[in-house]
Amino acid sequence: MALFDENTTIVPARRAPMSRTTLIGVWSLAVALVALLALTLIPTSFVIQRPGPVFNTLGTSTDAAGDEVPLISVSGAETFPTSGSLDLLTVQVVGNRDRTPSWFELALAWFDPSRAVIPIDQVFPQGQSTEERNQESAVMMVDSQKEATAAALTELGYDVKPMVRVYALTDDSAAAGVLEPDDIIRAADGQPITETDELRAIINDADGAPVQLTIDRDGQTLTESITPKQATVDGETTWLIGITTLHDYDFPIDVTIQLDNVGGPSAGMMFALGIIDTLSDGDLNGGEQVAGTGTIDSSGTVGPIGGIRQKMYGAKDAGATWFLAPKDNCDEVVGHIPAGLRVFSVATLDDALDVLAAIRGDGDLDALPTCE
């Protein structure tokens, strides 16, 4: 018995048309997919800041050879055991001028309280190459280490002697062939120099005339003449000899800070606290995990930094319960403190030491300044 009649034509049943609601849904999905693709490909003019690595100034770091070494080491003075942590925080930037985050990535970051979306020009200024930015950041890091060491040793009663050291020569420098990196500038036109601002003022007062510099190089004292070049900086005409300098010091003991691939000045205060703890008997932090951020100068003044919100979240994620924030960053702190993190406002190194004294001694923490 045949199951099918070979002379019979089978016509498939007509598919029922999609409802209006289904059709709208399909088109909406298609439009959304196209929009998502566009948001992924269209370039933006923003970058994303997010919490970066956290480093304990009382712990270790990896040197250029890949070995674990103390982040802070001291020779020429007695050192003491430490416990707990004094964490410095960093911020990572997602994106650059060669590859900016997509609009989709920016949208995700916008709703993440630990991240910030900022214009690319704030991080990568127009006309500045990545190499120039990295060099500037490296200079600021080295400078912050020097200032932190000066502040810490001054706090401990040591005598530090300031001086201006040549860090590098710029392209087309007027000092090319005359000055070298690591030269110490002792005087300009017969006037003693201990600050870069003093050198800058003497050069500009000369109004383009040659400037006589007294320098120390490899134990020798030399006198050299340099004719400045005129330039425009931030819209103002000025005279330059084409060098970047470090505010250096003649320290009575050797303090080495080992922290590779981190730039900028914002770790200064935590470096200073780490040095003081290393050179002091007892635990400065009471064995607690304390984090903080802020620039510092040799007088102990704590200055504001960027990325304070990301740093608070980085501290919380690393396990810190206490956070030292520069007073001038308080407007960015209020309303953005992660749960479980207690933030104190500090304007000086002494303020930070007061907070640590209260933490280790069960002092009146409520009496200390906070960001309000």
Side-chain angles (χ1 to χ4, degrees), residues 111-145:
F111 293 101
D112 185 341
S114 70
R115 301 191 179 200
V117 176
I118 59 176
I120 194 170
D121 288 344
Q122 289 187 17
V123 181
F124 300 94
Q126 289 281 358
Q128 185 183 51
S129 68
T130 300
E131 182 180 355
E132 290 171 337
R133 178 180 179 273
N134 290 341
Q135 183 184 44
E136 180 182 42
S137 184
V139 170
M140 289 190 291
M141 168 55 79
V142 174
D143 235 358
S144 75
Q145 294 175 359

Side-chain angles (χ1 to χ4, degrees), residues 265-317:
S266 64
M269 180 183 69
M270 299 310 293
F271 285 147
L273 293 175
I275 294 168
I276 292 173
D277 203 355
T278 301
L279 289 168
S280 302
D281 192 11
D283 295 325
L284 196 65
N285 54 10
E288 298 282 341
Q289 185 168 355
V290 181
T293 186
T295 66
I296 201 166
D297 63 21
S298 59
S299 68
T301 300
V302 175
I305 51 81
I308 185 74
R309 298 182 191 178
Q310 289 70 52
K311 290 177 179 179
M312 287 191 294
Y313 276 93
K316 179 65 172 60
D317 291 344

